[in-house]
Amino acid sequence: MVEHRRFGNFLPHLVLLIGVAIVAFPVYMAVIASTHDNAVIANGQMPLTPGTLGFENYWHTLTAGTGRTTRAPVGGMMLNSFVMAVGIALGKIAISIISAYAIVFFSFPFRMTAFWIIFVTLMLPVEVRIYPTYKIASDLHLLDSYAGLTLPLIASATATLLFRQFFMTVPKELVEASKIDGAGPLRFFKDTLLPLSLTNIAALFVILFIYGWNQYLWPLLITTRDDMQTIVIGIKKIIDVHDALTEWNVAMATAVLAMLPPVLVVITMQRLFVKGLIETEK
Amino acid sequence: MSEAEAFAGKVDAVSRDSHFTDDGKLAQPRDLAVPAPAQSPVESRAIFSGKLLPYVLLVPQLAISLVFFYWPAAQALWQSFLVQDAFGLSTEFVWFENYAELFTRPDYYHAVGVTFLFSGVVAFLSLSLALLLATMADRQIKAARVYRTLLIWPYAVAPAVASVLFIFMFQPGLGLFARALQASGLDWNPILNGAQALILVIIAAVWKQISYNFLFFLAGLQAIPKSVIEAAAIDGAKPWRRFWTVVFPLLSPTTFFLIVVNITYAFFDTLGIIDTATGGGPNKATETLVYKVFQDGRLGADLGGSAAQSVILMAIVITLTAIQFRYVERRVHY
C-alpha cells in the first residue's frame, strides 16, 4: 500500500472473502448433499446444513456405488484412478528424464531430430487424434487395461523440456569431477544428476498426478468395462441429467471422493505444486 | 517430501558453490577436455561420448511418441483426403473435398460460433475475476499466501467433476440456484434451453479456471517493483489510475500468456465439462469444435469429414503453441 486509506484494507479483504466463498460454495453444497437422504434432495428440500447420513452414504458409495446406471463400486474406480495417475506421473518422469539426459549430455547424430520429434508432440493432444489413437490402442489389445490407460499418455514434451532446461544449468565442473572419479555416464546420472533433480521430480510428480487423475477423454475411450473405469468418468454415469431418479447423494459423495486426492495434494504440497505449475508452463 | 527437498536444497548449494569457484577449477587431464562449446546451448552440454547409450535412453520416449502421437496424427491427415463409400468397401482419394464440404455445412459454422463465443466468454470472465482477486491479494502482503491457498485448489478439480458440482446446483426442480431462478419467475431449464445450457457450462468452466489465472496474476503482480508504483503515487496518480497506467501495462506479458493458455483450455480441456453437463445439447447449443469431432467420430459415419475436422483442430493447436513459445522467448528477455 502506497497511501493510507480511511477504510484500511477492508475492501480488499471483502472482495477476497467473497471470492473464496464463490470458489468454495459448490464444494460445500456437494459435501452437504453427500450427507442427506436422496429423497430429501430430489424433492428440493435439502437444507444448507449437514445431515446425518454421511458415513452411510460414503460407505455405500465406496463399496456398492449406485444400483442403477453403473454397478461398479466407487472404491474400485478410485483404485483405477490412482493406478492411472501414479502410472502416468512416474512413466512420464522416467522416460522424460532419460531422454532429456541423452539430449543434453551426449553428442550423437540426429540429436536435434530426436529433440524436435519430442517437442512436436506438444502440438498433438489426444483431442485432435481421438479415433486413430483409439484404433491403435485397440489393435495393440490395450482396451480395458492399466497399460492402455497409462502408456499412450506418458510421452511428454513438457517434462522433457523441463528436465532439459534444468540439466543445462548443471555446472560443467560437476561432470568433469565425476569423470575424474572414474564415473561413466550411467554412474553420473545415478549418483549426481538424479539427486540434483529431486525437487524438480517432486514438483513434476505433483502436477502430473493431478493431470493423470483428472484425465477424461482417454479413459472414456479406452475402457468399456465398468470395473475398469476411473472415478472421473464413472461420475458421469452416476448422474444422468435427464433421469429424475439420479441418486444425488451417491453422486455428490462420488464428486467429493473424486476431488479429494488431487485437492489434498495441492494443499499439502503447495510449494511443490506452485513450482511445478510455473516451471512446466515455461 | 520435506526430506527430499532439504536434500535437493543441499545439493543445490553444493552445485552453486562449485559454480562460484570457477577459476579454481580442478586440474583436468588433457584427454578429458570438453569439446569446445558451439553456438547452440544444447551443443555445449554434450559431454559423454557413448555411441549406443543415447539412443537406448531415447527409445521409450520416441517409441511412444511415434506409435501414439505421430502415427494416429498421420492417419487423421491421410483419412482427411479420403472418401469412403457407404459400406466402407472402397475408398477414394479426393484431395481437399472433405474440407470444402465441411465449410459448406451450417452445423460446422454453428460449432465454430459456439466455440468462439464459449472460449471468449470463459477466457474474459476467468481472467477478469482472477485479476481482480490477485490485485486485492497483492495488497495484503501478509495474508496473500493464505488467500492463495484458499483460492488455488480448484485447479486440482477435474473439469468433469466441476461440471457435476454445477449441474447439481442448477438442476431444475432440486438445485439451489435452479429453484431460486424458478422462484423468481424464470423458466430455468438447461436441459431444454440451449442458451441456459451454454451459460451453465460457461460458469463451470470459469469456476475451474480462476485458480490457475489467479496464481499467475499474483506471481506477475508481485514481480512488479514497488518503486514504480510509488513513483506514480508521488506524481499524484490515484490507485485506479495507477492500476491502468502502470500496473496493467507491466503485467501485459502475464496477461498475454494467460490469454493463450485460457483459449487453449476453453477449446480442449472443457470437453469433460460439456460431455458431463449437456452432451453438446440441447440441439447442439453447446457443441464446440472439439466436442463435434468427438461426437461425429463416435457416430462413426463420416470418417473423412471427421478426420478433416481433427486436422483443422491440429492447425489451431499448432498456432496456439507457436504463439505461446514465441512469447516465452520474449519473456526470457523481459
Side-chain angles (χ1 to χ4, degrees), chain B residues 6-262:
Chain B
F7 179 56
K10 241 178 274 164
V11 182
D12 228 27
V14 172
S15 73
R16 228 172 285 129
D17 277 349
S18 74
H19 190 74
F20 284 128
T21 57
D22 224 25
D23 39 354
K25 243 186 234 171
L26 291 164
Q28 80 185 66
R30 280 252 168 261
D31 54 86
L32 280 178
V34 185
Q39 292 86 342
S40 154
V42 183
E43 223 66 41
S44 70
R45 305 295 313 181
I47 290 164
F48 289 109
S49 56
K51 285 269 182 293
L52 191 63
L53 186 62
Y55 296 104
V56 174
L57 294 171
L58 279 163
V59 158
Q61 173 98 309
L62 291 183
I64 288 171
S65 300
L66 293 175
V67 172
F68 293 110
F69 287 71
Y70 282 84
W71 179 241
Q75 272 189 322
L77 192 62
W78 175 242
Q79 277 167 4
S80 73
F81 295 121
L82 301 177
V83 165
Q84 217 168 29
D85 72 21
F87 306 102
L89 295 175
S90 68
T91 48
E92 195 191 341
F93 189 83
V94 293
W95 289 107
F96 293 98
E97 222 169 79
N98 284 322
Y99 294 90
E101 204 256 356
L102 203 58
F103 286 108
T104 61
R105 279 161 53 181
D107 64 328
Y108 193 70
Y109 285 104
H110 179 71
V112 171
V114 169
T115 308
F116 277 92
L117 180 64
F118 175 75
S119 308
V121 174
V122 167
F124 178 77
L125 285 181
S126 62
L127 284 168
S128 318
L129 289 171
L131 180 58
L132 173 69
L133 292 171
T135 314
M136 294 299 154
D138 185 41
R139 296 189 191 178
Q140 320 298 320
I141 309 296
K142 280 178 196 150
R145 289 185 70 87
V146 179
Y147 283 118
R148 195 178 78 174
T149 309
L150 292 172
L151 286 167
I152 61 172
W153 56 268
Y155 174 84
V157 178
V161 176
S163 188
V164 169
L165 299 178
F166 284 88
I167 293 168
F168 176 61
M169 292 190 295
F170 285 97
Q171 181 73 3
L174 65 88
L176 182 73
F177 291 136
R179 281 190 300 134
L181 289 167
Q182 283 166 333
S184 72
L186 186 80
D187 185 16
W188 173 263
N189 192 346
I191 297 163
L192 299 173
N193 183 316
Q196 291 175 0
L198 192 58
I199 290 170
L200 178 62
V201 290
I202 285 173
I203 293 174
V206 169
W207 179 84
K208 159 100 186 87
Q209 191 64 4
I210 287 177
S211 55
Y212 183 94
N213 295 341
F214 171 79
L215 194 63
F216 277 86
F217 271 137
L218 186 60
L221 285 168
Q222 292 186 335
I224 295 175
K226 292 289 166 270
S227 57
V228 182
I229 296 160
E230 279 160 19
I234 291 166
D235 285 350
K238 292 276 170 273
W240 180 254
R241 199 173 135 81
R242 279 205 303 270
F243 178 79
W244 289 112
T245 57
V246 180
V247 177
F248 191 68
L250 284 172
L251 202 58
S252 60
T254 307
T255 312
F256 183 63
F257 160 78
L258 284 175
I259 289 173
V260 178
V261 170
N262 277 264

Side-chain angles (χ1 to χ4, degrees), chain A residues 143-190:
Chain A
L143 296 189
D144 290 318
S145 71
Y146 286 137
L149 280 170
T150 51
L151 211 54
L153 295 177
I154 67 173
S156 172
T158 335
T160 311
L161 289 175
L162 175 70
F163 283 124
R164 174 180 164 265
Q165 217 160 19
F166 171 66
F167 288 166
M168 292 197 316
T169 67
V170 172
K172 240 182 274 173
E173 289 78 8
L174 225 53
V175 189
E176 286 155 18
S178 54
K179 275 188 168 180
I180 292 165
D181 288 347
L186 290 177
R187 268 274 303 280
F188 171 71
F189 179 74
K190 186 169 128 320

